[in-house]
Amino acid sequence: MNLLLDTHVLLWAAGDSARLSPAARKLIGNPAHALWFSAASLWEVTIKASLGRDDFHADPVLLRRGLLENGYRELPITSEHVIAVSRLPELHRDPFDRILLAQAEVEGALLLTADDRVLSYGGPVRRV
């Protein structure tokens, strides 16, 4: 199974945070699952860290390097992903969450999240 981690789950996994649930640890630790991170997540970390958000305190260069070194695959943003955003209902306006949802849908991946707003979209999303 292809797993796409939303930005918070990605940061928690990379930092081995206690906030990462046992369910997430089990899914992420399963060698049968391919782990993906989106370029959108690094973009989100870069923007929100520059705004002083404590929950996004990470160096995107080191984060990317660490993810790649630990077997994660990088998912670029394509025009197909961008067009898929237009098919999502307007449940909320976070552009990062919306592109992650569209990417999961287009790529046939399961998006792992702890965000109730993201879960309200349904589709290939699982709470962890």
Side-chain angles (χ1 to χ4, degrees):
M1 177 183 328
N2 291 324
L3 302 177
L4 177 61
L5 281 63
D6 87 352
T7 308
H8 275 108
V9 174
L10 186 69
L11 288 169
W12 298 338
D16 196 28
S17 171
R19 295 191 68 182
L20 190 65
S21 72
R25 289 180 193 281
K26 184 175 180 180
L27 286 166
I28 292 167
N30 184 334
H33 297 161
L35 302 175
W36 291 83
F37 71 95
S38 173
S41 290
L42 293 181
W43 183 20
E44 183 175 15
V45 168
T46 300
I47 289 172
K48 292 183 177 175
S50 74
L51 296 172
R53 292 264 309 258
D54 288 336
D55 55 338
F56 288 90
H57 185 70
D59 180 327
V61 173
L62 295 177
L63 176 60
R64 180 179 182 270
R65 183 182 310 141
L67 292 168
L68 293 171
E69 287 174 354
N70 283 285
Y72 285 74
R73 298 174 187 168
E74 184 172 1
L75 181 59
I77 300 169
T78 68
S79 57
E80 186 176 10
H81 299 144
V82 172
I83 291 167
V85 169
S86 70
R87 294 189 295 268
L88 295 173
E90 289 287 334
L91 299 178
H92 76 95
R93 296 182 185 260
D94 185 312
F96 300 109
D97 289 341
R98 292 175 62 78
I99 195 69
L100 290 170
L101 284 158
Q103 286 182 300
E105 184 177 291
V106 168
E107 301 299 329
L110 181 63
L111 179 62
L112 301 183
T113 187
D115 187 332
D116 288 332
R117 293 179 307 164
V118 174
L119 291 162
S120 67
Y121 281 93
V125 182
R126 181 177 296 168
R127 175 192 308 277
V128 292

